[in-house]
Amino acid sequence: MSEEADGSAELLATRRRKLRSLREAGVEPFPHEFDGVEPIAAVRAAHESLRDGEETDVRHRLAGRLAARRGQGKMAFLDLVDRSGRIQLQARVDELGPEGMEQLLGLDLGDLIGVDGAAFRSKRGELTLRVESFTLLAKSLRPPPEKHHGLTDVETRFRRRELDLMANEEARELFIVRARVISAARRFLDAEGFIEVETPVLQPLYGGAAARPFTTHHNALNREFYLRIATELYLKRLIVGGLERVYELGKDFRNEGVDSTHNPEFTMLEFYEAYADYEDIAARCERLVAYVAAEAGYSGEIDLTPPWERETLPQAILDRTGIDIGEHADRDALAGAMAARGLNVPPKDTWPQLVDELLSKHVEPTLSEPTFLMDYPVALSPFAKRHRSNPDLVERFEAYVGGMEIANAFTELNDPDEQRRRFEEQRALAGAGDMEAQPFDEAFLEALEQGMPPTGGIGIGIDRLVMVITGRQSIREVVLFPAMRD
RNA sequence: GCCGCCGUAGCUCAGUUGGCAGAGCAGCGGACUUUUAAUCCGAGGGUCGCAGGUUCGAAUCCUGCCGGCGGCACCA
């Protein structure tokens, strides 16, 4: 290979040269296995009490990525990183022999290796493994990120998450926390009598949320499918079927803008419970979040312990703006009241959109402590049951933490005739150009006509919950591969 | 979609008023037996996001485009 034009190619060529010479020396650079490895954290735990300078004859087998190298010649130190942590290795020529020493020090940062050796604590107090033997487990053909500053470029961290994970321990820890959140949520619901189900991701008709869908095409059936925007309607059909307590944890897809709280595909947990109402669901929601946070090792400033704050939406708007949405039941009256107080009135907004404007601008930002905002106008909520004491409202809540919505729940509408009327209203909205109106779902109506018990249900945004638990401000930090432009 | 900020070596970052594109780490050659971001010596490594423009001369100024971040709009 001739001289390379740029530094990158030169670095790659150097590593490929080493790969070649390893093979020529009879070393397999990509062996098939390395059995019996302990996590680095376990080795650390086993030798916590070692004094500085104290040696042991306890041998360990470790495997991981070579992350740093100090010293040359007859003695050197290297750092090995696995998922659980980092440990120092000591390479000595009197242990490995001149040839072994040269081979070990000839490895590149980023190479994956396995080592056997005895643990000791260095004079400086660092737990160290004295390498007795080592094996190359996989040759790395590209340079790793910088060893001290790590990888900080946000774009590279998201586009090449593998580099973020290998360079930044916080990134590894975050996604381990995320995994704990998800497994704890399953454990919680399993223990309370829920069964996990899987409903279609590819749907002939979408529904269950106000959002525009992605569409795709099935070749053999020669028809369009939608990627689901929610699991709601299928899960309620399972309640009709008698499964009584069901949950689904998986991806929803919404064809809308990307910002710090929205990714086009995101993880939603929905659960539905027969014979429950939205108060029961609120209680279960706050217990679930508190449990999950504890299981994930949450230690943030926001107190997630139940009971959370409860406010009604009309009262919350009244408190923050002085506007009683119940007394301004038509669009122009509400717009007038808002204008009279000097509030922004988007000229094309409908009444529900104005309520949403008041909510998002004047109420949401104040909800930093965990809060259930209860009782929404019926026009905003086509699947929620009418409030038992106020016919203009539905029994619905949204849960807010840190000024961000993390859950949406209601006492489910189970009167098929009223559901039909709600769909007809949605059809009228769609006819008027509302891209997010609910499509008319006859199969769902037939299911309700079969008889659905009184039911409470909820959707919890797992990505946002992970943001709360890990203290991150952007959903892209808690999604492994967030959506990016080409 | 609109506005603002940003994009320089594999990585982390400097780069003055428009005047030969730099450092650290990594890599390469060499020295070194206890380091903790090891140290020392030496030689390399660049489409300054891309494309135009202004200028004797552009990383630097202007325009457009691409990408990222933030805000607005949209949106749970």
Side-chain angles (χ1 to χ4, degrees):
Chain A
M1 192 172 292
S2 61
E3 289 304 308
E4 297 294 341
D6 64 279
S8 170
E10 189 178 308
L11 295 174
L12 300 187
T14 300
R15 287 183 178 238
R16 291 212 169 261
R17 207 178 309 123
K18 290 190 182 185
L19 176 69
R20 216 160 38 237
S21 62
L22 283 167
R23 285 194 163 120
E24 283 162 4
V27 174
E28 170 52 58
F30 297 102
H32 291 73
E33 57 160 357
F34 192 69
D35 284 338
V37 172
E38 287 178 78
I40 286 171
V43 175
R44 288 198 170 281
H47 299 288
E48 252 178 17
S49 58
L50 271 186
R51 294 185 305 276
D52 292 358
E54 189 176 353
E55 311 231 348
T56 79
D57 54 6
V58 183
R59 299 178 77 253
H60 296 279
R61 165 167 281 207
L62 301 176
R65 197 178 290 278
L66 201 54
R69 178 170 46 218
R70 297 175 288 283
Q72 289 283 325
K74 299 189 175 62
M75 201 285 305
F77 293 93
L78 308 100
D79 288 346
L80 186 73
V81 172
D82 74 5
R83 194 180 76 186
S84 73
R86 173 183 287 247
I87 194 169
Q88 175 167 271
L89 307 177
Q90 185 194 45
R92 304 173 60 118
V93 70
D94 57 7
E95 183 71 50
L96 297 165
E99 198 173 320
M101 191 72 178
E102 193 185 332
Q103 284 170 1
L104 180 52
L105 296 184
L107 293 172
D108 287 313
L109 297 190
D111 285 353
L112 292 149
I113 62 170
V115 299
D116 290 280
F120 71 101
R121 193 173 294 282
S122 75
K123 289 173 197 160
R124 306 287 182 95
E126 186 70 28
L127 184 69
T128 305
L129 205 72
R130 178 165 297 143
V131 178
E132 296 168 7
S133 63
F134 68 93
T135 308
L136 176 63
L137 299 181
K139 184 67 192 162
S140 170
L141 295 174
R142 292 180 178 275
E146 208 262 357
K147 67 177 179 177
H148 311 306
H149 303 88
L151 181 67
T152 63
D153 180 72
V154 174
E155 187 172 353
T156 308
R157 286 184 47 235
F158 296 162
R159 287 188 191 277
R160 303 211 49 209
R161 185 68 89 175
E162 66 277 12
L163 297 180
D164 186 32
L165 291 168
M166 77 175 68
N168 300 322
E169 189 172 2
E170 319 83 73
R172 289 198 296 276
E173 284 170 355
L174 185 146
F175 288 103
I176 290 169
V177 167
R178 182 182 168 116
R180 289 204 185 107
V181 165
I182 289 170
S183 66
R186 285 201 164 96
R187 216 153 47 239
F188 178 91
L189 291 168
D190 290 345
E192 304 212 348
F194 288 79
I195 61 169
E196 181 170 7
V197 297
E198 294 173 278
T199 63
V201 173
L202 293 177
Q203 302 183 344
L205 205 59
Y206 63 96
R212 296 167 65 177
F214 289 93
T215 59
T216 189
H217 185 260
H218 189 290
N219 291 334
L221 297 180
N222 189 28
R223 63 157 300 168
E224 299 300 308
F225 276 94
Y226 301 101
L227 273 63
R228 69 185 180 196
I229 60 173
T231 49
E232 170 155 354
L233 303 187
Y234 282 104
L235 292 180
K236 282 194 273 200
R237 288 167 68 176
L238 301 181
I239 296 294
V240 169
L243 294 184
E244 295 181 349
R245 294 186 177 196
V246 297
Y247 73 92
E248 181 156 9
L249 208 171
K251 289 275 182 76
D252 287 346
F253 307 84
R254 298 186 184 175
N255 206 338
E256 58 197 25
V258 173
D259 64 25
S260 63
T261 56
H262 296 82
N263 196 58
E265 59 178 295
F266 61 100
T267 301
M268 179 77 98
L269 169 63
E270 289 193 40
F271 67 81
Y272 290 81
E273 177 176 357
Y275 314 116
D277 67 7
Y278 75 146
E279 295 279 1
D280 300 317
I281 297 296
R284 203 183 290 287
C285 172
E286 62 192 356
R287 285 198 300 114
L288 182 148
V289 169
Y291 173 79
V292 157
E295 291 287 294
Y298 175 70
S299 60
E301 293 194 351
I302 298 173
D303 182 7
L304 298 172
T305 312
W308 294 358
E309 298 287 329
R310 283 165 170 75
E311 290 186 69
T312 71
L313 173 65
Q315 188 66 43
I317 290 176
L318 183 60
D319 288 348
R320 270 75 165 183
T321 66
I323 295 174
D324 186 339
I325 58 170
E327 287 186 359
H328 299 94
D330 69 80
R331 193 267 167 204
D332 291 338
L334 183 55
M338 290 168 69
R341 283 167 178 77
L343 304 181
N344 178 44
V345 181
K348 290 181 196 163
D349 274 12
T350 60
W351 186 85
Q353 288 171 322
L354 290 177
V355 172
D356 198 55
E357 165 84 10
L358 290 169
L359 170 62
S360 57
K361 292 287 161 51
H362 302 286
V363 179
E364 277 186 31
T366 69
L367 302 178
S368 49
E369 291 303 304
T371 304
F372 292 117
L373 210 53
M374 324 277 296
D375 300 342
Y376 280 62
V378 63
L380 291 172
S381 314
F383 298 107
K385 197 167 194 169
R386 214 167 278 272
H387 198 282
R388 63 197 75 185
S389 57
N390 182 341
D392 296 329
L393 301 177
V394 291
E395 294 193 357
R396 172 184 178 187
F397 71 77
E398 294 185 332
Y400 288 86
V401 181
M404 177 172 64
E405 185 207 337
I406 63 161
N408 178 28
F410 17 93
T411 304
E412 304 296 336
L413 175 55
N414 64 340
D415 176 338
D417 294 335
E418 178 162 4
Q419 183 67 72
R420 186 175 293 278
R421 287 192 292 276
R422 302 270 191 98
F423 272 132
E424 281 161 359
E425 287 164 14
Q426 292 292 315
R427 186 149 61 188
L429 289 174
D434 184 346
M435 302 295 289
E436 292 173 357
Q438 289 295 317
F440 200 102
D441 192 334
E442 190 64 41
F444 175 65
L445 283 172
E446 280 187 26
L448 287 190
E449 287 168 2
Q450 216 74 50
M452 184 172 88
T455 298
I458 188 169
I460 300 176
I462 294 297
D463 312 278
R464 291 181 178 181
L465 179 58
V466 173
M467 288 170 66
V468 169
I469 287 173
T470 61
R472 296 305 199 278
Q473 298 301 310
S474 168
I475 197 170
R476 292 182 286 271
E477 292 286 345
V478 305
V479 170
L480 278 168
F481 296 99
M484 306 282 272
R485 291 178 197 276
D486 291 336

